[in-house]
Amino acid sequence: MARMTMIEAIRDAMDVAMAADPRVVVFGEDVGYFGGVFRCTAGLQKKYGASRCFDAPISESGIVGAGIGMATYGLKPVVEIQFADYVYPAYDQIVSEAARLRYRSAGEFTCPMVVRMPTGGGIFGGQTHSQSPEALFTHVTGLKVVVPSNPQDAKGLLIAAIEDPDPVIFLEPKRLYNGPFDGWHDRPVTAWKTHDLSEVAEGHYTVPLGKAVTRREGRAVTILAYGTMVHVALAGAEAAGVDAEVIDLRTLLPLDLDAIVASVKKTGRCVVLHEATLTSGFGAELAALVQQECFYHLEAPVRRIAGWDTPYPHVHEWIYFPGPERVARALTDILEEA
């Protein structure tokens, strides 16, 4: 198996899908000739032509709207929003049209479309290039929401998303594009080539949507995380010296509730970790589900670690970013609670 960065794995997934199915088309701002601002589509236009990988005007609403039209006519568009922060002009198209199309047409039409977008901070992008809007999409019936944490999963999840008959929001943590980031911002970043999860199989394979995976076995406390925060959770558990179990959700909708419940019932404690702002973040839904399903097994209240309820700062990025030190403190505190 080849070792890949997440950028290369995402590109390989689209390459495999485009080779297998001529209905798959890729487009968005600068994704054609230039190959995308993060280079995720580099070489696809040269290989498949400008009718299957092409640039779009700077209009997120137009990009998603065109994708919806293509999907209803039998194509499988994979559209890129250059940064997740730019998706808001397209939100009405996603919510009112893409997500509702199957229901409002009584199944006559579907919308097999993937909306890819880089998400999260850690690159000093400031308030308009660092947001994590996943909760806005998990609230919408009719969508699937995916957040990979490594190249191996990214390829399999993206191929599964492209093959899915309904719209999928595919959020790519940009801080993971070139290497796993454990939150220690003052230490050298590890390259993906040294990480086991950078081994990506050739050709076609899928990672099923709606299936979480355990990244670290433990019996003292469960950490629920996704994307970049999976690596931060692992680093925080190591720093605290706590026997923590780390669950990588991978897919937020559909959610693998069985895996969550099994882990929390085993450990009796739960910490929810995400980078998005705290209030009304997806962690609130996770905490509510754990409380509902595991109440008699909990030895302490569910804790949430998240970004602060402020715009994402530029100068103070590492104060905002939930790092391993905050995770370690939370793990220590929850174990001291009766």
Side-chain angles (χ1 to χ4, degrees):
M1 289 192 291
R3 289 190 177 271
M4 296 184 182
T5 66
M6 188 177 284
I7 290 172
E8 292 168 336
I10 288 167
R11 182 191 307 140
D12 192 39
M14 288 185 280
D15 189 3
V16 168
M18 294 176 81
D21 190 341
R23 295 175 298 171
V24 178
V25 294
V26 173
F27 66 98
E29 297 165 17
D30 297 320
V31 307
Y33 177 80
F34 183 65
V37 68
F38 291 103
R39 314 300 293 158
C40 288
T41 57
L44 294 181
Q45 184 179 90
K46 183 177 182 180
K47 184 173 183 178
Y48 294 101
S51 64
R52 294 191 61 200
C53 180
F54 53 91
D55 296 328
I58 303 175
S59 172
E60 287 75 22
S61 179
I63 291 168
V64 173
I68 294 168
M70 291 177 180
T72 61
Y73 275 88
L75 296 177
K76 291 188 173 183
V78 182
V79 306
E80 178 182 301
I81 303 297
Q82 201 167 77
F83 287 85
D85 314 62
Y86 301 164
V87 76
Y88 303 115
Y91 192 68
D92 179 52
Q93 289 288 338
I94 294 171
V95 174
S96 302
E97 305 298 337
R100 312 295 190 218
L101 189 60
R102 177 185 287 275
Y103 182 84
R104 72 190 299 181
S105 68
E108 185 175 350
F109 294 100
T110 60
C111 189
M113 177 177 68
V114 177
V115 181
R116 294 180 41 248
M117 58 186 105
T119 185
I123 64 165
F124 288 98
Q127 63 180 348
T128 58
H129 295 79
S130 305
Q131 296 172 55
S132 299
E134 63 270 11
L136 298 178
F137 300 107
T138 60
H139 187 67
V140 181
T141 303
L143 298 178
K144 294 181 175 69
V145 181
V146 179
V147 191
S149 68
N150 60 81
Q152 195 176 96
D153 282 350
K155 179 180 176 179
L157 288 167
L158 183 52
I159 293 175
I162 294 170
E163 294 177 350
D164 196 273
D166 292 300
V168 179
I169 305 299
F170 197 87
L171 298 167
E172 301 165 5
K174 64 177 78 73
R175 199 59 180 80
L176 299 182
Y177 270 151
N178 288 303
F181 181 61
D182 60 9
W184 296 114
H185 62 89
D186 53 350
R187 303 179 186 180
V189 177
T190 304
W192 274 121
K193 65 181 180 181
T194 65
H195 198 286
D196 289 344
L197 292 175
S198 71
E199 293 185 345
V200 178
E202 295 182 5
H204 179 280
Y205 72 90
T206 61
V207 173
L209 306 185
K211 293 295 182 182
V213 65
T214 302
R215 297 296 179 198
R216 185 183 196 266
E217 297 279 353
R219 302 199 65 85
V221 57
T222 296
I223 307 176
L224 305 179
Y226 49 91
T228 306
M229 291 298 113
V230 172
H231 304 278
V232 175
L234 294 169
E238 182 179 352
V242 169
D243 185 24
E245 183 153 288
V246 177
I247 304 296
D248 182 352
L249 297 179
R250 302 198 289 195
T251 305
L252 307 187
L253 272 183
L255 183 67
D256 191 350
L257 186 57
D258 291 341
I260 294 170
V261 170
S263 179
V264 176
K265 284 185 175 181
K266 178 176 69 172
T267 65
R269 289 176 169 83
C270 182
V271 171
V272 178
L273 173 62
H274 62 66
E275 187 180 344
T277 50
L278 179 70
T279 301
S280 300
F282 189 65
E285 177 67 18
L286 292 172
L289 287 170
V290 170
Q291 175 78 359
Q292 175 181 298
E293 301 294 331
C294 306
F295 180 80
Y296 292 106
H297 296 267
L298 289 173
E299 301 294 334
V302 179
R303 282 180 173 262
R304 289 183 291 161
I305 309 168
W308 309 118
D309 289 337
T310 69
Y312 211 116
H314 182 267
V315 176
H316 299 295
E317 178 158 37
W318 302 123
I319 296 175
Y320 181 97
F321 193 92
E325 291 177 334
R326 284 176 61 189
V327 174
R329 286 197 301 271
L331 293 176
T332 301
D333 290 345
I334 199 172
L335 290 176
E336 292 176 352
E337 294 183 5

Coordinates of all heavy atoms in Angstrom, one line a residue, residues 3-6 8 150-151 175-182 187-199 231:
R3 N 1.8 5.2 0.9 CA 1.6 6.1 2.0 C 1.2 7.4 1.4 O 1.9 7.9 0.5 CB 2.8 6.2 2.9 CG 3.1 5.0 3.7 CD 4.2 5.2 4.7 NE 4.4 4.0 5.6 CZ 3.7 3.8 6.7 NH1 2.8 4.7 7.1 NH2 3.9 2.8 7.4
M4 N 0.2 8.0 1.9 CA -0.4 9.3 1.3 C -0.6 10.3 2.4 O -0.9 9.9 3.5 CB -1.7 9.0 0.5 CG -1.6 8.1 -0.7 SD -3.2 8.0 -1.5 CE -2.8 6.8 -2.8
T5 N -0.6 11.6 2.0 CA -1.2 12.6 2.8 C -2.7 12.6 2.6 O -3.2 11.9 1.8 CB -0.6 14.0 2.4 OG1 -1.1 14.3 1.1 CG2 0.9 14.0 2.4
M6 N -3.4 13.3 3.5 CA -4.8 13.4 3.3 C -5.2 14.0 2.0 O -6.2 13.6 1.3 CB -5.5 14.1 4.4 CG -7.0 14.0 4.4 SD -7.9 14.7 5.8 CE -7.6 13.5 7.1
E8 N -3.6 13.8 -0.8 CA -3.4 12.8 -1.9 C -4.5 11.7 -1.8 O -4.9 11.2 -2.9 CB -2.0 12.1 -1.7 CG -0.9 13.1 -2.0 CD 0.5 12.6 -1.6 OE1 0.6 11.7 -0.7 OE2 1.5 13.0 -2.2
N150 N -7.9 10.9 9.0 CA -6.7 10.3 8.5 C -6.9 10.0 7.0 O -8.0 9.8 6.5 CB -6.3 9.1 9.3 CG -7.3 8.0 9.2 OD1 -7.4 7.2 8.2 ND2 -8.2 7.9 10.2
P151 N -5.8 9.8 6.3 CA -5.8 9.5 4.8 C -6.6 8.2 4.5 O -7.3 8.1 3.5 CB -4.4 9.4 4.4 CG -3.7 10.3 5.4 CD -4.4 10.0 6.7
R175 N -6.1 21.2 8.9 CA -4.9 21.0 9.7 C -4.3 19.6 9.6 O -3.2 19.3 10.0 CB -5.2 21.4 11.2 CG -3.9 21.7 12.0 CD -3.2 22.8 11.4 NE -2.0 23.2 12.1 CZ -0.8 22.5 12.0 NH1 -0.7 21.5 11.2 NH2 0.3 22.9 12.7
L176 N -5.1 18.7 9.0 CA -4.7 17.3 8.8 C -4.3 17.0 7.4 O -3.8 15.9 7.1 CB -5.8 16.3 9.2 CG -6.3 16.4 10.6 CD1 -7.4 15.3 10.8 CD2 -5.2 16.2 11.6
Y177 N -4.4 18.0 6.5 CA -4.1 17.7 5.1 C -2.7 17.2 4.9 O -2.5 16.2 4.1 CB -4.2 19.0 4.3 CG -5.6 19.3 3.7 CD1 -6.0 20.6 3.5 CD2 -6.5 18.3 3.4 CE1 -7.3 20.9 3.0 CE2 -7.7 18.5 2.8 CZ -8.1 19.8 2.6 OH -9.4 20.1 2.1
N178 N -1.7 17.7 5.5 CA -0.3 17.3 5.3 C 0.3 16.5 6.4 O 1.5 16.1 6.3 CB 0.5 18.6 5.0 CG 0.2 19.1 3.6 OD1 0.3 18.5 2.6 ND2 -0.2 20.4 3.6
G179 N -0.4 16.4 7.5 CA 0.2 15.6 8.6 C -0.7 15.6 9.8 O -1.5 16.5 10.0
P180 N -0.7 14.5 10.6 CA -1.5 14.4 11.8 C -1.1 15.5 12.8 O 0.1 15.6 13.1 CB -1.3 13.0 12.3 CG 0.0 12.6 11.8 CD 0.2 13.3 10.4
F181 N -2.1 16.3 13.3 CA -1.7 17.4 14.2 C -2.3 17.0 15.5 O -3.5 16.9 15.7 CB -2.3 18.7 13.7 CG -2.0 19.8 14.6 CD1 -0.7 20.2 14.8 CD2 -3.0 20.6 15.1 CE1 -0.4 21.3 15.6 CE2 -2.8 21.6 16.0 CZ -1.5 22.0 16.2
D182 N -1.5 16.9 16.6 CA -1.9 16.5 17.9 C -2.2 17.6 18.8 O -2.5 17.4 20.0 CB -0.9 15.5 18.5 CG 0.5 16.1 18.7 OD1 0.6 17.3 18.5 OD2 1.4 15.4 19.0
R187 N 5.5 22.1 18.8 CA 6.4 21.0 18.6 C 6.3 20.7 17.1 O 5.4 21.1 16.4 CB 5.9 19.8 19.3 CG 5.9 20.0 20.9 CD 5.4 18.8 21.6 NE 5.3 19.0 23.0 CZ 4.9 18.1 23.9 NH1 4.6 16.8 23.5 NH2 4.8 18.4 25.2
P188 N 7.4 20.0 16.5 CA 7.4 19.7 15.1 C 6.1 18.8 14.7 O 5.7 18.0 15.5 CB 8.7 18.9 14.9 CG 9.5 19.3 16.0 CD 8.6 19.6 17.2
V189 N 5.6 19.1 13.5 CA 4.4 18.3 13.1 C 4.9 17.0 12.4 O 5.9 17.0 11.7 CB 3.6 19.1 12.0 CG1 2.5 18.3 11.5 CG2 3.1 20.4 12.6
T190 N 4.3 16.0 12.8 CA 4.6 14.6 12.2 C 4.1 14.6 10.8 O 3.1 15.0 10.5 CB 4.0 13.5 13.1 OG1 4.3 13.7 14.4 CG2 4.4 12.2 12.6
A191 N 4.9 13.9 9.9 CA 4.5 13.7 8.6 C 3.6 12.5 8.5 O 3.8 11.5 9.2 CB 5.7 13.5 7.7
W192 N 2.7 12.5 7.5 CA 1.8 11.3 7.4 C 2.6 10.1 7.0 O 2.2 9.0 7.4 CB 0.7 11.6 6.3 CG -0.5 12.3 6.8 CD1 -1.0 13.5 6.4 CD2 -1.4 11.8 7.8 NE1 -2.1 13.8 7.1 CE2 -2.4 12.8 8.0 CE3 -1.4 10.7 8.7 CZ2 -3.5 12.7 8.9 CZ3 -2.5 10.6 9.6 CH2 -3.5 11.5 9.7
K193 N 3.7 10.2 6.3 CA 4.4 9.0 5.9 C 4.9 8.2 7.0 O 5.3 7.0 6.8 CB 5.6 9.5 5.0 CG 6.7 10.3 5.7 CD 7.8 10.7 4.8 CE 8.9 11.5 5.5 NZ 10.0 11.9 4.6
T194 N 5.0 8.7 8.2 CA 5.4 7.9 9.4 C 4.2 7.4 10.2 O 4.5 6.7 11.2 CB 6.3 8.8 10.3 OG1 5.4 9.9 10.9 CG2 7.4 9.4 9.6
H195 N 3.0 7.6 9.8 CA 1.8 7.2 10.5 C 1.2 6.0 9.8 O 1.0 6.0 8.6 CB 0.8 8.4 10.5 CG -0.2 8.3 11.6 ND1 -1.3 7.4 11.5 CD2 -0.4 8.9 12.8 CE1 -2.0 7.5 12.6 NE2 -1.5 8.5 13.4
D196 N 0.7 5.0 10.6 CA 0.1 3.8 10.1 C -1.1 4.1 9.2 O -1.3 3.4 8.2 CB -0.2 2.9 11.2 CG 1.0 2.2 11.9 OD1 2.1 2.3 11.3 OD2 0.9 1.7 13.0
L197 N -1.9 5.1 9.6 CA -3.1 5.4 8.9 C -2.9 6.2 7.6 O -3.9 6.6 7.0 CB -4.1 6.1 9.9 CG -4.6 5.3 11.0 CD1 -5.5 6.1 12.0 CD2 -5.4 4.1 10.5
S198 N -1.6 6.4 7.3 CA -1.4 6.9 5.9 C -1.2 5.9 4.9 O -1.1 6.2 3.7 CB -0.1 7.8 6.0 OG 1.1 6.9 6.1
E199 N -1.3 4.6 5.3 CA -1.2 3.5 4.3 C -2.6 3.3 3.6 O -3.6 2.9 4.3 CB -0.8 2.2 5.0 CG 0.6 2.2 5.6 CD 1.0 0.9 6.1 OE1 0.1 0.0 6.4 OE2 2.2 0.6 6.3
H231 N -6.8 13.3 17.1 CA -5.3 13.3 17.4 C -5.1 14.1 18.7 O -4.2 13.7 19.5 CB -4.6 13.8 16.2 CG -4.8 13.1 15.0 ND1 -4.2 11.9 14.6 CD2 -5.7 13.4 14.0 CE1 -4.6 11.5 13.5 NE2 -5.5 12.4 13.0

